Amino acid sequence: MKMEEMRLSGPDNTKLEALMQDIYSELVEDACLGLCFEVHRAVKQGYFFLDETDQESMKEFEIVDQPGVDIFGQVFNQWKNKECECPNCRRLIAASRFAPHLEKCLGMGRNSSRIASRRLASNNNMSKSESDQEDNDDVNDNDWSYGAEKKAKKRKSDKNQNSPRRSKSLKHKNGELGSSIASESYKYNYNTGISYESLGPDEVRSLLTTQCGVISEHTKKMCTRPALPDAELESSSFDIPDGPSLMSRLQWEDSSDISPADSASSKASANHSDSRRPKKKKRPALGLSSAGGSGGLAEGGGGMGGSQSNLSLMTKKKKPKISAAFISSIYDDMN
Amino acid sequence: MSKDYQLRAAINQKLIEMGERERLKELLRAKLVECGWKDQLKAHCKDVIREKGLDHVTVEDLVTDVTPKGRALVPDSVKKELLQRIRAFLVQHAAL
């Protein structure tokens, strides 16, 4: 083989070329044949002319090759310069600006509320600062600082008003209060508000068996947390002591303002919380105080001290939670 | 010239054995489709078929009509590239 191959070198370049050409033409012929077989098969199978429909639709969808137009014959910027009439404000807006304009105009976009509130704030500022300037014409030196302070304060208050935080906290509170009993709680909340003196003993009992009933010192509102069914049994065993006698026994440090009704209600509420205790969260601080109370208990003194601290804790917070470990200890001792 | 013939046969054999022939074939096909040669020829086929009648077309008809045209229609660039590759192969494997 090598001997024969060597003969191709040098003057046999033509042979090489010839060989090349031969191989090339063979390859091309192969390609043509392949195409013929393909076409023939398509003809015999009947799918050769499938891409041709009638002449009309062929002309309709013919490829367009003009400048300024795409292959379908459509123009690119056709609607760019058109103007649309806004249905809200009836103005003529350019097509590309139409969607953002609608957003602001209808007040529905993401930023539209923010912009509106900001505008309101600045308007208020303007009106207020204008009126102030009229009054404080003499105080020219302080105009800038005063106005700035006003602005800053205004902004802060505006922020609080418009932010969702405010409404959230309100909802949260109301939700908690409302979850107890439907409308009754609110009725009692607003009517009884102040004292139990207006209600008779039966009413008070019925009220306190269903609700917590503790009156917060700060807001003078009654706690409407629902009482558990066990509470009824417990409360029946205890009589609600009369106001004055209780007052004489108890010594209040922090709650000098407290009315007799308050102490009664607090005592009564203590009864209910007794049964409620195992199901609520732990209160380590109160637990300590109750332990202290029970430790130093004779009959009244230590227990009262414990309850005193308990009440002080209650009045400081808006939602009084009572863990009545010491109460149970008191009554146990009493019994 | 039997040696010539033998030589050719040997080279062809080598082409096939090494898979180079297949590769060249695929390369040519791809290039022809790319440059539109296939569509051109297909359109020509349509004419032939319409001429001869759809039902009576035979392979031979097509081949005799299409092949010379096909050979002529191959673009020069494709031809050059292919020749180059063939020469490279021959030089490498036929010790030239």
Side-chain angles (χ1 to χ4, degrees):
Chain A
M1 187 69 88
K2 272 191 183 174
M3 293 293 287
E4 290 164 340
E5 284 162 12
M6 277 177 73
R7 278 182 209 173
L8 285 169
S9 62
D12 290 317
N13 246 353
T14 49
K15 272 197 179 173
L16 174 69
E17 292 284 327
L19 202 54
M20 270 165 54
Q21 289 293 331
D22 280 343
I23 296 172
Y24 168 77
S25 51
E26 263 181 33
L27 286 169
V28 171
E29 222 175 285
D30 267 351
C32 294
L33 268 179
L35 182 73
C36 289
F37 290 146
E38 210 180 293
V39 169
H40 182 259
R41 183 166 202 273
V43 166
K44 290 304 174 188
Q45 296 278 318
Y47 61 82
F48 187 62
F49 285 110
L50 268 182
D51 53 353
E52 286 176 19
T53 54
D54 56 314
Q55 282 296 313
E56 280 178 9
S57 23
M58 288 220 7
K59 279 203 176 138
E60 199 181 325
F61 298 112
E62 215 172 343
I63 292 176
V64 177
D65 196 12
Q66 298 164 17
V69 173
D70 67 6
I71 63 169
F72 297 117
Q74 296 165 354
V75 188
F76 167 55
N77 276 348
Q78 200 174 15
W79 312 111
K80 206 179 186 183
N81 300 327
K82 297 250 169 166
E83 286 183 336
C84 325
E85 187 195 335
C86 172
N88 214 28
C89 59
R90 297 290 197 86
R91 285 198 295 170
L92 284 175
I93 313 287
S96 51
R97 299 296 312 162
F98 190 55
H101 163 78
L102 262 188
E103 230 186 352
K104 303 269 169 17
C105 196
L106 294 170
M108 284 195 327
R110 276 210 296 175
N111 289 329
S112 49
S113 59
R114 252 179 261 161
I115 290 174
S117 59
R118 212 189 297 161
R119 232 183 269 157
L120 275 175
S122 61
N123 277 345
N124 285 343
N125 265 347
M126 292 295 287
S127 56
K128 273 215 169 179
S129 60
E130 278 173 7
S131 60
D132 285 342
Q133 278 172 10
E134 284 172 353
D135 298 338
N136 300 338
D137 260 344
D138 301 333
V139 195
N140 286 329
D141 295 331
N142 294 339
D143 244 3
W144 275 117
S145 55
Y146 185 63
E149 268 177 49
K150 265 258 156 177
K151 251 191 187 176
K153 276 185 189 170
K154 240 317 176 164
R155 274 214 184 124
K156 221 185 175 184
S157 63
D158 274 346
K159 202 179 176 187
N160 286 340
Q161 278 173 11
N162 293 330
S163 71
R165 287 275 170 207
R166 205 181 181 211
S167 52
K168 255 190 200 172
S169 59
L170 281 174
K171 272 187 205 167
H172 188 62
K173 259 196 230 172
N174 285 337
E176 273 225 12
L177 289 173
S179 65
S180 51
I181 302 167
S183 55
E184 281 186 3
S185 57
Y186 281 112
K187 269 191 226 163
Y188 282 120
N189 201 355
Y190 293 123
N191 296 339
T192 343
I194 303 97
S195 68
Y196 288 100
E197 289 167 347
S198 52
L199 302 172
D202 286 332
E203 291 175 33
V204 173
R205 186 173 290 148
S206 66
L207 174 66
L208 292 176
T209 49
T210 49
Q211 296 165 51
C212 172
V214 176
I215 295 180
S216 164
E217 198 197 21
H218 299 291
T219 63
K220 304 284 185 234
K221 279 188 191 164
M222 193 185 73
C223 171
T224 51
R225 222 154 41 117
L228 298 173
D230 311 345
E232 289 194 0
L233 299 170
E234 290 261 12
S235 63
S236 60
S237 59
F238 301 117
D239 289 330
I240 299 169
D242 292 333
S245 59
L246 195 62
M247 275 303 287
S248 59
R249 288 164 76 194
L250 300 172
Q251 298 167 12
W252 305 108
E253 283 182 0
D254 298 349
S255 45
S256 53
D257 310 334
I258 207 166
S259 63
D262 280 334
S263 57
S265 68
S266 61
K267 261 300 188 179
S269 64
N271 302 337
H272 302 301
S273 56
D274 184 14
S275 58
R276 230 179 297 147
R277 191 182 144 260
K279 295 184 186 177
K280 299 279 178 179
K281 285 185 200 168
K282 284 187 213 166
R283 284 284 223 78
L286 283 175
L288 282 172
S289 69
S290 68
S294 61
L297 187 63
E299 278 250 327
M304 298 313 156
S307 65
Q308 178 187 4
S309 61
N310 190 19
L311 257 182
S312 64
L313 273 165
M314 282 188 322
T315 52
K316 273 174 191 167
K317 296 185 183 173
K318 280 191 178 174
K319 283 185 279 174
K321 283 183 191 173
I322 308 148
S323 81
F326 71 97
I327 303 289
S328 61
S329 62
I330 294 170
Y331 291 112
D332 282 339
D333 285 328
M334 282 185 187
N335 291 335
Chain B
M1 296 283 123
S2 60
K3 283 178 186 175
D4 215 13
Y5 176 75
Q6 270 180 356
L7 180 65
R8 281 172 180 237
I11 286 175
N12 273 331
Q13 194 180 358
K14 216 166 191 187
L15 263 174
I16 293 169
E17 274 171 7
M18 295 190 67
E20 188 65 20
R21 192 157 200 274
E22 279 303 314
R23 277 194 287 268
L24 288 169
K25 214 158 132 187
E26 284 311 308
L27 177 70
L28 180 65
R29 277 224 178 121
K31 292 238 172 238
L32 288 176
V33 168
E34 228 178 84
C35 70
W37 172 91
K38 193 172 177 184
D39 299 321
Q40 266 181 306
L41 223 54
K42 226 175 182 181
H44 180 69
C45 288
K46 277 186 187 170
D47 297 333
V48 170
I49 291 162
R50 278 197 204 106
E51 199 184 317
K52 297 262 168 105
L54 197 63
D55 297 328
H56 304 291
V57 177
T58 60
V59 185
E60 289 81 12
D61 288 336
L62 283 173
V63 167
T64 48
D65 260 324
V66 163
T67 313
K69 191 151 193 216
R71 244 186 260 132
L73 278 175
V74 176
D76 279 339
S77 54
V78 176
K79 188 172 181 181
K80 272 185 187 167
E81 190 173 338
L82 228 74
L83 284 172
Q84 220 169 7
R85 278 193 71 151
I86 296 169
R87 175 182 284 142
F89 178 81
L90 288 175
V91 165
Q92 194 179 6
H93 297 281
L96 293 168

